[in-house]
Amino acid sequence: MRTHSFLTALLWSCVFYVIHMTPSQKRTNKHSHSERITGLSENDGKTLHRTKRGWMWNQFFLLEEYTGPDTQYVGKLHTDQDKGDGNLKYILTGDGAGSLFIIDENTGDIHAAKKLDREEKSLYVLRAKAIDRKTGRQVEPESEFIIKIHDINDNEPKFTKDMYTASIPEMSGVGTSVIQVTATDADDANYGNSAKVVYSILQGQPYFSVDPETGIIKTALPDMSRENREQYQVVIQAKDMGGQMGGLSGTTTVNITLTDVNDNPPRFPQSTYQFSSPESAPPGTSLGRIKANDPDVGENAEIEYSISNGDGSDMFDIITDKDTQEGIITVKKPLDFENKVLYTLRIEATNTHPDPRFLQLGPFKDTALVKISVEDIDEPPVFSKPWYLMEVDEDAKEGSIIGHVVAQDPDIAKNAIKYSVDRHTDLDRIFNIYSGNGSLFISKPLDREETPWHNITVIATEINNPKQSSQIPVFIRILDINDHAPEFANYYETFVCENAKAGQLIQTVSAIDKDQPPRGHKFFFELVPEFAVHPNFSVVDNKDNTAGIMTRRNGYSRSKTSTYLLPIIIFDNDYPIQSSTGTLTIRVCACDSRGNMQSCSAEALLLPAGLSTGALVAILLCIVILLVLVVLFTALKRQRKKEPLIISKDDVRDNIVTYNDEGGGEEDTQAFDIGTLRNPEAREESKFRRDVIPETIFQIRRTAPLWENIDVQDFIHRRLKENDLDPAAPPYDSLATYAYEGNDSIANSLSSLESLTTEGNQDYDYLSDWGPRFKKLADMYGGEDSDRD
């Protein structure tokens, strides 16, 4: 608040300078005489004189914010050269000269023309000079002087912010610093108390206080709780003049928030909770939620739930929902109503971030009792094992039992169980089960080599409640029986060189066996008894499931024998011993000196020496092309000799004829006589076939009239039968086409095709009676004269 009422009088009373200034005695003496300086000039050798200044003034002072009716008098300029005769003229230049400051050029009096503000400019530098009006010369050199503005308390303190925001942890001790506020005063701090600021609190007591000199806000009450009150608004005042009466002041608002600390433990709203669960609930099923309340916020309110004790600690679990801070009770293991119906848990809720400063307040945790009851439901049968493994020999007879599965009803009722095989897992129906006792048996022969393992599913169903069923996998391993004889591992293409020596190895053979004996395969090789002493080759068993074929003589001839067949018996060592005979085909080939095969074909000996394989292929290709040309020529010739279906234009049998012209319409009377089909009466007349000349002329067999028959299908069938029984029909196939329209139209037939079967002209006058739609047709056929023309 600004107070100007008595400031003006107070400030004027405090002025200790006399505005009308006179020169001091010391200064007057200094400037009352002239000082002569003698010197020799280099140019003319004249004596130089320097006269000291005769200005008479001191530094000027002026109060700011002058509000009087007249201009404010600043001071007076005067020189001892002024004799008072008005011969001198005073001139003022510099800061504000002519605008802010005005000088009387005759007397040298200076006035302030406007109100000055020290905060805008506190010091003005001006220059003055005195001029002789007659000569225009300066009687004194130009001199500089200062006008200094004295401060008054015209500015109130201002804070650096209109509003401050601060926070402090709750439960802080008395005197804890919250925030420092700062206010500045634009007045002169070096002149009086106008800029001396003192802080005080106007709002916010008794919770907070402020240091009057530094502006630091502190707590004034101990143990302020955020849960009771979180927000505080404090108003701070800054007053100048040292806080004395009449000083100006400014205020600011400080919003203070108490931040949370973990000073509250979690608490359950009730001591006991009740939940229930069906015994069929799978592990992981949520049964319910419990929550302990904590008035703290953020991480200080985070809670961890656990089961401290109870008989259900191994059957149930509790997890913490981080979003809602709730404890979720879940099923940990499968429940069984028949085993236990009620469980008790002791749940503990603990803060995860306790504050050591408040541990003396008590344990930061709480407990509650949770009771969980198990509900009975009708459960499906339960097998004695999670899966079954059975083994059976592959030569087991049909009907042999290979194992048993056992299931029972876990409910108190203990319903009877029936067993079955899931046929989706046994599509071939190799296995079956006795529904009463769960015994699995074989229905079809087994073959380990085809399927060594069978994985089937057995279903157990309650007889009284078929909806209650369960399945169990049964793994059946087929045990091997030595029922396969060993055989050659590969098809061997063996050859012997014509120049081979006796005792030379020409082939190494090995064997395989579909069986899998426990001790591994062991094969033996030997020649069949009929070839025990073979004059050409021998078999040497290498004792490692392989055998070598050796030559027994020197030299072989393709021309005599090009191929040798060598039967070899292969034995295994399992029980019962199985053996097979494999025949090895050995060809005699021509080889080079290194034993590399060159040719094994006996026909190659008969070919000319100079004829290569490429030439033979070319010759064969030419032969094939010639044969193809001959066959094509023969086929075309035969096709030309075939007699056409229609020999002449007179052959108008009911055949399929393809022609490219459009036909002559009504005038085309030579191709087909289809009027017979349109008019059944005309068909009944005796006609001769025009496509052939019969050896004996006979009357065509008359048939029953058909024009009253409305069944077109029956009409066509009868016509087809007539043609089939007609003795005059040719012996080759022909196609007869019928399209009987019937005779139900009151206008009869409009076609002109029947004109072929009638004699004379027809009467078309009735067309005129049919109306305007048939006018054009009546004009075309109604006029006989025009037709004759």
Side-chain angles (χ1 to χ4, degrees), residues 277-280 315 334-343 373-382 408-415 462:
S277 172
E279 62 175 334
S280 61
M315 302 299 295
L335 304 175
D336 188 0
F337 174 82
E338 291 72 25
N339 186 24
K340 191 174 179 63
V341 299
L342 182 63
Y343 294 91
S373 58
V374 180
E375 299 175 352
D376 185 28
I377 63 170
D378 190 4
E379 298 176 272
V382 177
Q408 63 178 1
D409 184 9
D411 298 321
I412 299 178
K414 300 297 180 184
N415 294 324
E462 292 185 9

Side-chain angles (χ1 to χ4, degrees), residues 517-576:
R519 295 175 294 177
H521 292 291
K522 183 63 177 178
F523 302 122
F524 304 95
F525 302 86
E526 63 181 35
L527 290 173
V528 297
E530 294 81 0
F531 294 85
V533 182
H534 199 281
N536 297 308
F537 304 98
S538 63
V539 177
V540 178
D541 194 336
N542 297 327
K543 307 301 181 180
D544 59 354
N545 294 337
T546 64
I549 309 301
M550 311 294 292
T551 59
R552 296 192 62 184
R553 64 186 179 87
N554 296 326
Y556 296 86
S557 177
R558 284 185 294 169
S559 59
K560 294 182 179 180
T561 305
S562 61
T563 303
Y564 293 93
L565 300 179
L566 186 65
I568 301 174
I569 301 177
I570 309 173
F571 300 89
D572 60 18
N573 67 337
D574 205 356
Y575 180 82

Side-chain angles (χ1 to χ4, degrees), residues 94 152 258 288 379 472 630 729:
I152 64 172
L258 294 183
E379 298 176 272
I472 196 72
V630 171

Side-chain angles (χ1 to χ4, degrees), residues 204-399:
Q205 294 175 335
Y207 307 103
F208 299 95
S209 63
V210 63
D211 189 296
E213 295 183 358
T214 62
I216 298 176
I217 301 175
K218 302 178 180 179
T219 57
L221 286 180
D223 301 334
M224 286 190 293
S225 177
R226 184 200 64 83
E227 289 74 29
N228 295 333
R229 183 177 177 180
E230 185 175 2
Q231 299 288 338
Y232 293 88
Q233 191 175 76
V234 179
V235 178
I236 301 298
Q237 175 184 267
K239 189 174 184 181
D240 59 13
M241 297 297 292
Q244 297 178 3
M245 184 179 296
L248 303 179
S249 64
T251 60
T252 187
T253 301
V254 181
N255 292 324
I256 302 175
T257 303
L258 294 183
T259 59
D260 185 59
V261 298
N262 195 0
D263 59 337
N264 293 282
R267 289 288 181 265
F268 284 104
Q270 59 191 70
S271 59
T272 304
Y273 294 86
Q274 295 280 349
F275 295 100
S276 62
S277 172
E279 62 175 334
S280 61
T285 303
S286 175
L287 302 182
R289 294 170 175 253
I290 61 175
K291 183 177 182 180
N293 299 323
D294 192 333
D296 296 323
V297 295
E299 67 174 13
N300 296 322
E302 292 182 1
I303 301 173
E304 185 71 27
Y305 296 90
S306 61
I307 300 176
S308 60
N309 54 46
D311 56 2
S313 58
D314 57 340
M315 302 299 295
F316 301 93
D317 197 3
I318 186 169
I319 58 177
T320 304
D321 189 336
K322 298 299 182 181
D323 297 329
T324 62
Q325 298 301 316
E326 293 178 319
I328 306 174
I329 300 176
T330 60
V331 178
K332 187 176 181 180
K333 293 182 179 180
L335 304 175
D336 188 0
F337 174 82
E338 291 72 25
N339 186 24
K340 191 174 179 63
V341 299
L342 182 63
Y343 294 91
T344 302
L345 304 175
R346 177 67 64 177
I347 304 298
E348 184 178 89
T350 308
N351 275 139
T352 57
H353 299 87
D355 194 331
R357 297 177 299 172
F358 306 103
L359 293 179
Q360 71 278 3
L361 300 179
F364 278 74
K365 60 183 178 180
D366 194 16
T367 60
L369 187 65
V370 177
K371 296 181 179 180
I372 302 175
S373 58
V374 180
E375 299 175 352
D376 185 28
I377 63 170
D378 190 4
E379 298 176 272
V382 177
F383 284 92
S384 60
K385 297 180 181 180
W387 48 270
Y388 289 88
L389 174 62
M390 300 180 183
E391 296 179 344
V392 58
D393 293 333
E394 64 176 325
D395 62 346
K397 303 299 182 182
E398 297 181 15

Side-chain angles (χ1 to χ4, degrees), residues 4 33 76 106 186 226 255 264 310 317 344 354 370 381 395 414 491 494 498 523 566 606 649 661 670 718:
H4 296 281
H33 63 278
K76 183 180 181 65
N106 295 322
R226 184 200 64 83
N255 292 324
N264 293 282
D317 197 3
T344 302
V370 177
D395 62 346
K414 300 297 180 184
Y491 173 74
T494 307
E498 289 182 309
F523 302 122
L566 186 65
L606 303 176
K649 295 182 180 179
D661 57 345
Q670 300 300 323
R718 292 192 181 187

Side-chain angles (χ1 to χ4, degrees), residues 36-50:
R36 184 183 294 253
I37 302 177
T38 302
L40 184 61
S41 174
E42 293 180 359
N43 297 329
D44 53 6
K46 293 183 181 180
T47 303
L48 300 178
H49 297 275
R50 179 168 66 86

